[in-house]
């Protein structure tokens, strides 16, 4: 789950937090504790207060770091003993593909957008390190992770050019996690900045902050793998999480073109663990599909069960065969909601059906799907009973 920054500081730069907002989440965490449910909480989930966008230019401004620190310190202190596992920024690499969603960036005409995105990224990375520092100081039991929109890029063919293109494409996402997990800017990023005349404005102690306060674990979302080619004529494109891919002829696709690749999850776990040697956490995995309820609102979603079952099998192989240190697995999501990638209600992920369509029509009645009862059994058995 996530905390909304604006519930705690409605404008983002307020000096005093909103007690009603703090109490709202405290009540949730106390209820979770009553049932022995361990929360995993994202501090910033595509959530920049609009006041900060309009007054400061969002994360292009260094002032955002101080506002974010005040917010983090407030929630770390208030929920000490109630929350142990924290994530700093949701799918932080999405900043490069959806800059308003990821960092609240609105560009002026003629502005160097690449420069602005990487400067905003630097501010978020410093804020992430300082959040990690604060979390450990306020409660040494806290564990702080970063989050990547995951899924490896496969080369379209065994041509060396395609393999190299896959490496370069993966760098886009690894850039953020390399810094958050290792504590320094990677060499490939520095060379990119040189080539493209990108100048990151840093304070004197920024590099020390990044180096001294890396995250404790690496988390990621996984929905599909992708395919890339170095040759434009190879393209037969399909959709993916925010940005697309060349279609993989060896995989099935969802109704939205996202390719279903359970083994790709195991592959991603191996690549990330080899790269960072830190515990991993799968924090989003799920199937967006059209659900057709019966007259009682019940959905027999065997397709969703099959998707999740095969991915759970893959992660178990990664743990039991490959030796991956995996902290946990959570699906996306518990209940139907508007899909952030397409803005549609019809693209449903939940275990609970909500009677509402793309245009806001419906009763909002909630009905448990077949997958609800299946997943209840899965989590009761800690993943042992998945049939």
């Amino acid at each position: 789950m996530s905390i909304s920054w604006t519930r705690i500081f409605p404008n983002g730069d307020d000096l005093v937090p909103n007690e009603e907002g703090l109490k709202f989440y405290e009540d949730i965490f106390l209820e979770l504790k009553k049932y022995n449910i361990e929360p995993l909480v994202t501090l910033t989930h595509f959530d920049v207060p609009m006041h900060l966008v309009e007054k400061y230019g969002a994360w292009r401004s260094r002032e955002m770091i101080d506002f974010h620190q005040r917010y983090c310190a407030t929630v770390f202190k208030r929920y000490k003993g109630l929350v142990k596992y924290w994530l700093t920024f949701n799918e932080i690499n999405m900043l490069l593909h959806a800059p308003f969603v990821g960092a609240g960036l609105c560009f002026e005409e003629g502005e160097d957008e690449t420069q602005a995105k990487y400067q905003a990224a630097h501010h978020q990375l410093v804020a992430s390190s300082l959040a990690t520092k604060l979390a450990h100081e306020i409660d040494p039991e806290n564990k702080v992770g970063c989050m990547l929109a995951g899924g490896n890029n496969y080369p379209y063919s065994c041509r060396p050019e395609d393999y190299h293109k896959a490496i370069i494409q993966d760098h886009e996402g690894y850039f953020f996690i390399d810094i958050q997990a290792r504590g320094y800017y990677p060499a490939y990023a520095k060379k990119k900045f040189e080539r493209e005349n990108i100048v990151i404005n840093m304070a004197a102690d920024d590099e020390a902050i990044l180096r001294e306060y890396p995250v404790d674990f690496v988390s990621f979302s996984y929905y599909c793998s992708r395919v890339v080619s170095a040759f434009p004529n190879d393209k037969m494109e399909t959709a993916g999480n925010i940005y697309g891919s060349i279609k993989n002829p060896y995989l099935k696709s969802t109704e939205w073109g996202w390719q279903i690749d359970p083994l790709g999850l195991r592959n991603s776990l191996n690549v990330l663990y080899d790269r960072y040697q830190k515990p991993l956490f799968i924090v989003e995995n799920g199937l967006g599909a059209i659900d057709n309820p019966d007259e009682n609102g019940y959905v027999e979603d065997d397709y969703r069960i099959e998707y999740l079952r095969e991915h759970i099998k893959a992660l178990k192989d990664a743990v039991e065969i490959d030796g991956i240190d995996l902290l946990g697995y959570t699906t996306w999501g518990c209940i139907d909601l508007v899909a952030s990638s397409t803005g549609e209600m019809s693209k449903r992920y939940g275990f609970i059906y909500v009677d509402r369509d793309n245009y806001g029509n419906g009763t909002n009645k909630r009905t448990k799907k077949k997958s609800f009862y299946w997943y209840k059994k899965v989590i009761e058995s800690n993943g042992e009973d998945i049939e």
Side-chain angles (χ1 to χ4, degrees), residues 171-302:
H171 278 169
E172 259 192 11
Y174 293 151
F175 162 75
F176 295 88
I177 312 305
D178 281 353
I179 297 169
Q180 290 175 293
R182 292 172 168 172
Y184 56 88
Y185 273 78
Y188 63 81
K190 291 180 178 179
K191 297 304 289 186
K192 174 185 174 68
F193 295 163
E194 285 179 18
R195 289 193 307 273
E196 299 182 21
N197 296 316
I198 298 168
V199 179
I200 305 300
N201 294 314
M202 296 190 190
D205 58 348
D206 280 1
E207 289 183 304
I209 290 169
L210 295 174
R211 184 174 59 253
E212 291 172 23
Y213 307 110
V215 292
D216 301 305
F217 64 94
V218 174
S219 75
F220 65 103
S221 61
Y222 179 86
Y223 296 96
C224 55
S225 55
R226 295 180 175 84
V227 177
V228 296
S229 169
F231 300 91
N233 291 337
D234 288 338
K235 292 186 177 179
M236 178 181 173
E237 293 193 349
T238 189
N241 186 8
I242 299 293
Y243 54 99
S245 163
I246 294 175
K247 188 174 179 63
N248 189 329
Y250 303 102
L251 298 175
K252 296 178 182 179
S253 298
T254 72
E255 290 151 312
W256 274 265
W258 295 27
Q259 303 216 261
I260 301 171
D261 185 8
L263 183 56
L265 174 58
R266 182 179 174 185
N267 294 340
S268 292
L269 286 163
N270 273 274
V271 169
L272 291 171
Y273 193 62
D274 285 350
R275 191 177 186 94
Y276 300 118
Q277 292 293 297
K278 287 180 181 281
L280 303 179
F281 206 132
I282 303 163
V283 294
E284 287 184 29
N285 175 236
L287 175 70
I290 295 173
D291 292 334
N292 295 304
D294 64 18
E295 63 276 8
N296 298 313
Y298 179 72
V299 176
E300 196 162 337
D301 54 343
D302 292 309

Side-chain angles (χ1 to χ4, degrees), residues 99-118:
F100 180 76
V101 171
L105 296 182
C106 301
F107 300 112
E108 301 290 336
E109 186 174 347
E111 183 178 7
D112 185 336
E113 295 186 11
T114 302
Q115 168 71 39
K117 285 190 282 190
Y118 278 103

